[in-house]
Amino acid sequence: MSKLHAEYYADSMKQVDGAIELNELIGEGTYRVRIAAPEIAAQVAPGQFVMIRIKGLNSPLIGRALAVYDVVADDDGSLRCIDLVYLKKGVLTTALANCQVGTEVTVWGPLGNGFSNRQCDHLIMAVGGIGQTPMLLLGQEALGTRSFGCDRASGWAEKVELIYGARRASLLAGVDDFKAAGFDVTLCTDDGSIGEKRLVPDVLAERLSKIQAGTRIRVVTCGPEIMMQKVAEACEAAGVDCQVSMETPMACGIGICFSCVAKVRQDDGDWDYKRTCVEGPIFDAEKLCWD
């Protein structure tokens, strides 16, 4: 394992004990929780995540990594809360779904590198499952309607499109948020219950084939690994810039435990393990070894 550079250190994170202000069902088994954490809300950049634990709950003992879905401001415009979207699945998320407003949780972050803000004409966000969660902030920053993090430029894309897939319509969560943000939204479902009965990578490949020559395209993707691999392959075939948000399970979130490594190609053509929590979770697609 190569030595971490200072830019990957997690020593700028904040640990905050905050109260839950909202915890609502927004899709089948999917919830949106709002936590008072102004120190984190003021710093977070699109694609970063936090670790969360419920105060007084020792099972599970470790925290759970969740991407920051949104940040919420007070009436005076100061950022005060973070919104996280999660699927009720494991021990912690099941307990979190049962938490009432006022429950105290501990969050630490922001963590990870976040998406780049490279200039483009058309940003396409290709997501599946719960992979929509890091995309709302990114699309808003790209259009220039909001700014996040420290010293990050906004307004670096002219158009933002979301291609969002799930097994069935009831599993799609937050669609109205993306439409309200001004994104073009295409929905895909395996059973055809809403939108196109197609897979996200297939829709993306068709979209890339029809885009006018000379248009600067960027693709970002998050979701099931096989979907992201197919998205990356479609982008490689089309010669399009692609970044991947890895969903590798994490234990510590700060680079200590080595439980979240991914195989990443080096400049010399060989590969090395990189910690998703500190050197990711965002990687350029051409750098990833999918096998």
Side-chain angles (χ1 to χ4, degrees):
M1 179 71 66
S2 57
K3 184 178 179 180
L4 281 176
H5 298 293
E7 63 191 277
Y8 300 129
Y9 294 164
D11 55 359
S12 62
M13 72 176 188
K14 307 293 184 181
Q15 181 168 312
V16 177
D17 293 335
I20 290 176
E21 298 193 358
L22 174 74
N23 197 16
E24 63 178 359
L25 188 70
I26 61 170
E28 182 183 337
T30 306
Y31 293 76
R32 178 177 186 157
V33 62
R34 179 167 298 163
I35 301 164
E39 300 93 334
I40 297 175
Q43 292 186 10
V44 70
Q48 290 189 299
F49 66 96
V50 298
M51 301 292 290
I52 180 171
R53 288 189 70 229
I54 302 169
K55 291 194 72 175
L57 183 68
N58 293 322
S59 177
L61 184 61
I62 61 176
R64 171 71 188 272
L66 294 173
V68 177
Y69 178 73
D70 201 359
V71 294
V72 180
D74 280 332
D75 292 338
D76 64 0
S78 58
L79 298 176
R80 190 176 62 84
C81 295
I82 58 172
D83 283 6
L84 313 174
V85 169
Y86 64 95
L87 183 65
K88 179 182 175 182
K89 187 176 182 180
V91 175
L92 189 143
T93 50
T94 298
L96 186 59
N98 293 325
C99 287
Q100 302 299 311
V101 170
T103 300
E104 289 280 323
V105 298
T106 300
V107 290
W108 56 101
L111 298 166
N113 57 353
F115 290 104
S116 75
N117 51 2
R118 296 193 285 261
Q119 196 79 25
C120 66
D121 299 316
H122 186 174
L123 174 68
I124 303 177
M125 304 180 292
V127 305
I130 199 72
Q132 86 282 17
T133 52
M135 300 301 178
L136 183 62
L137 297 186
L138 181 67
Q140 292 173 325
E141 180 188 80
L143 289 177
T145 56
R146 298 177 74 186
S147 298
F148 308 99
C150 301
D151 302 320
R152 281 181 63 97
S154 62
W156 41 266
E158 296 178 5
K159 179 180 180 180
V160 172
E161 179 177 5
L162 178 76
I163 304 174
Y164 182 12
R167 285 173 289 157
R168 53 186 177 273
S170 59
L171 290 169
L172 296 166
V175 174
D176 289 344
D177 293 333
F178 292 102
K179 291 180 177 179
F183 311 160
D184 293 346
V185 176
T186 298
L187 303 178
C188 312
T189 46
D190 293 353
D191 64 359
S193 52
I194 193 172
E196 302 186 28
K197 189 178 180 180
R198 300 176 65 194
L199 299 176
V200 168
D202 296 334
V203 175
L204 173 66
E206 181 180 274
R207 190 78 83 252
L208 294 178
S209 71
K210 294 181 177 179
I211 290 175
Q212 183 176 356
T215 303
R216 295 173 299 171
I217 307 297
R218 276 192 62 197
V219 172
V220 293
T221 184
C222 184
E225 187 166 307
I226 186 61
M227 184 214 76
M228 294 193 293
Q229 180 179 354
K230 296 299 183 182
V231 165
E233 290 171 353
C235 290
E236 182 179 11
V240 168
D241 177 20
C242 178
Q243 283 194 308
V244 174
S245 177
M246 298 294 286
E247 292 188 322
T248 311
M250 300 176 191
C252 73
I254 57 175
I256 296 172
C257 70
F258 289 79
S259 68
C260 65
V261 293
K263 292 172 67 174
V264 179
R265 290 188 181 89
Q266 306 302 294
D267 292 339
D268 61 5
D270 202 354
W271 63 267
D272 194 3
Y273 285 116
K274 300 296 181 183
R275 285 168 272 196
T276 301
C277 64
V278 288
E279 293 167 288
I282 313 302
F283 295 97
D284 289 332
E286 69 270 16
K287 297 285 189 179
L288 289 170
C289 303
W290 297 100
D291 56 341

